[in-house]
Amino acid sequence: MNICGRGVPCRCEHQLRVDLPWYLVLANMLAVSQINPFDSPEAKPYKDNNEIMAMTSLHAAFEDKNIKEVEKILNRNKKSLMDDSFIRLYIEELLRTIRTEVLLMLIKPYTHIKIDHIAKELNIPATDVVGLLVGLILDAKVEGYIDEINQVLQLKDESRSDSRYNSIHKWVGHTSSIYNSLMQKMN
């Protein structure tokens, strides 16, 4: 009998049928793809497979951007996930990806937000939040800066700056039309 994938005795062909959908789902989540890997006719039979249920649940929680459920699933299936050396390599990357997605969703409605609040929502230390934020700011995915003294993320308020710009543009237009009408009256 062979030892495959997750270190359990198995028939390798059967194990490949289980491992490949796992890897497909993992790659899908790491790429933050909107495509459901179980929508294809080839993968549908595996969707409800008991050996793949952890990954399908993980994918569903990932799509819902439910960080608490993702962590719960990872903790509940820690042994089976950590026994697979390939998946073990990407668990941290997967957690960083979901945390980044949730972080972007969390900060969207704010002009400023406390880093401690973000850390509480993501269930990670504030220093890790700062690391994620620095990466997002450097990648231009977040427009703002970190106020380290007050531990606050200050975001650029695009709606206010756009409305100010529009108001100034309208004011310049009115001033210009008044100027033109005065010049016509003088001629």
Side-chain angles (χ1 to χ4, degrees), residues 43-73:
K44 279 189 181 184
Y46 296 103
K47 186 174 185 173
D48 297 323
N49 182 318
N50 288 336
E51 296 178 69
I52 301 176
M53 286 300 283
M55 205 53 130
T56 57
S57 300
L58 185 63
H59 184 264
F62 186 89
E63 278 190 336
D64 294 340
K65 296 184 180 21
N66 185 342
I67 187 75
K68 290 179 179 18
E69 186 65 21
V70 167
E71 288 176 342
K72 190 188 313 178
I73 292 167

Side-chain angles (χ1 to χ4, degrees), residues 2-52:
N2 294 338
I3 302 291
C4 298
R6 289 186 270 305
V8 293
C10 64
R11 295 185 326 265
C12 284
E13 184 178 327
H14 170 72
Q15 195 60 40
L16 276 175
R17 287 185 188 157
V18 173
D19 286 347
L20 290 178
W22 277 61
Y23 302 154
L24 176 65
V25 171
L26 179 65
N28 183 275
M29 290 185 291
L30 289 172
V32 193
S33 174
Q34 302 300 316
I35 299 169
N36 185 341
F38 291 106
D39 282 346
S40 73
E42 297 85 6
K44 279 189 181 184
Y46 296 103
K47 186 174 185 173
D48 297 323
N49 182 318
N50 288 336
E51 296 178 69
I52 301 176

